[in-house]
Amino acid sequence: MLDIRLLGGFTLIWNGADCTPSARKIQQVLSLLALSANRSVPDEALIEELWSGAPPVSARTTLQTYVYHLRKVLNNAVLARVAEGYELRLDREAVDAFRFERLVQKGRSALAAARPLVAYEFLNGALALWSGGEQALAGVPQGALLRAEAVRLEELRMNALELRIDAALQLGDYAAQIGELKRLTARYPLNEALHGKLMLALYKAGRRNDALQWYRQLRTTLREELGLEPSEEIRRLHAWILGHRSSPEGALIADPAPASRVAG
């Protein structure tokens, strides 16, 4: 049974044994093939990924050597030569990145269907697949193709974190989300959606003064960094916390894919 783990550090498990190749370039080839599972990846794309526009004269021979070493771990039925490229043939569930995407989509759908507990469980399972840190393909050399995939996966992880927080807030689990939201707002100080969720969590956890202080801090940051005032949605939340409005949350946790004017 094949298990390819790309979320965090690279690991290759084959029939229960850790068969992770030590050579970084071989990891790079397998990572690209895994993220293109069941589709042929042309030699030219692999060469461009490996050497970023400056391939050695021996590039094709070297690529063939990398594939040879992979086949020693896998087998010809899994890694096939197709036309002028290679194709990794496997159940996509064998790649943690695909399992992650499937679970995030299930969580998003459950949240949209007003099933926050189910959503939380799916999203928690998705995020548990990341093996430490927040970087996909950690330690694997990355050309343009793998860099783009790593960025996409990391952005999806961020979205999954927000969705899980939304689910927890809908379940009324306010106090437990404050620490995570503070960590995220420190990393993304211009992300208004995160700040709004933190303000809401603080207020619902009985920390009204802290919620108001957080608004003042956000307002100062936006003015100094962007010359902007907080969004209307954040201002509505602030007014509700002050007791000037009857509607508290707006779309802060209702939208299964919340968007900010500035993502960080």
Side-chain angles (χ1 to χ4, degrees):
M1 181 177 179
L2 184 62
D3 184 6
I4 300 174
R5 302 172 189 173
L6 308 174
L7 304 179
F10 176 95
T11 306
L12 171 63
I13 305 295
W14 180 247
N15 288 334
D18 187 339
C19 299
T20 305
S22 58
R24 298 298 188 191
K25 289 289 190 182
I26 295 177
Q27 293 182 13
Q28 191 175 5
V29 171
L30 183 54
S31 295
L32 186 55
L33 291 172
L35 288 168
S36 307
N38 304 316
R39 301 197 313 268
S40 176
V41 180
D43 291 350
E44 294 302 325
L46 288 162
I47 289 170
E48 176 63 25
E49 172 63 30
L50 287 165
W51 291 288
S52 301
V57 174
S58 61
R60 288 185 182 276
T61 301
T62 303
L63 174 60
Q64 290 169 1
T65 301
Y66 295 155
V67 171
Y68 168 77
H69 285 292
L70 281 174
R71 281 178 165 156
K72 287 174 67 177
V73 176
L74 306 172
N75 60 60
N76 289 340
V78 174
L79 181 52
R81 180 69 174 167
V82 180
E84 295 299 316
Y86 294 93
E87 180 179 323
L88 191 64
R89 295 172 175 171
L90 76 173
D91 182 345
R92 285 163 61 96
E93 287 290 298
V95 182
D96 63 354
F98 293 128
R99 297 198 300 274
F100 171 68
E101 292 187 62
R102 177 179 59 79
L103 289 170
V104 172
Q105 182 55 50
K106 284 181 174 290
R108 184 182 292 113
S109 298
L111 200 56
R115 301 170 67 200
L117 181 57
V118 174
Y120 187 90
E121 291 172 349
F122 278 131
L123 294 161
N124 211 40
L127 290 164
L129 292 172
W130 288 74
S131 59
E134 299 177 356
Q135 182 180 2
L137 302 165
V140 178
Q142 295 174 21
L145 295 174
L146 283 184
R147 259 196 313 275
E149 281 296 306
V151 168
R152 183 184 68 82
L153 288 167
E154 288 155 20
E155 288 178 349
L156 186 57
R157 181 181 185 273
M158 178 64 189
N159 182 236
L161 282 167
E162 290 196 55
L163 291 170
R164 185 176 68 177
I165 289 168
D166 287 348
L169 293 178
Q170 289 188 20
L171 290 167
D173 190 17
Y174 299 107
Q177 303 310 306
I178 291 171
E180 177 76 350
L181 280 164
K182 284 188 172 181
R183 184 184 72 82
L184 290 171
T185 52
R187 183 174 179 182
Y188 303 100
L190 302 179
N191 187 314
E192 291 182 73
L194 288 174
H195 283 277
K197 294 179 204 303
L198 179 53
M199 288 168 57
L200 178 65
L202 286 166
Y203 178 74
K204 289 283 194 172
R207 297 169 58 179
R208 179 175 181 270
N209 288 340
D210 289 342
L212 294 172
Q213 176 59 37
W214 210 268
Y215 174 81
R216 290 191 289 270
Q217 178 180 316
L218 171 63
R219 188 182 186 195
T220 298
T221 300
L222 291 173
R223 283 177 167 179
E224 291 178 351
E225 296 292 330
L226 302 174
L228 296 174
E229 290 292 324
S231 67
E232 181 181 351
E233 185 178 44
I234 298 296
R235 294 198 303 272
R236 285 201 308 268
L237 176 62
H238 178 244
W240 177 75
I241 292 172
L242 286 170
H244 297 163
R245 292 184 65 94
S246 59
S247 176
E249 297 164 12
L252 280 169
I253 63 171
D255 185 347
S260 307
R261 289 186 300 165
V262 180

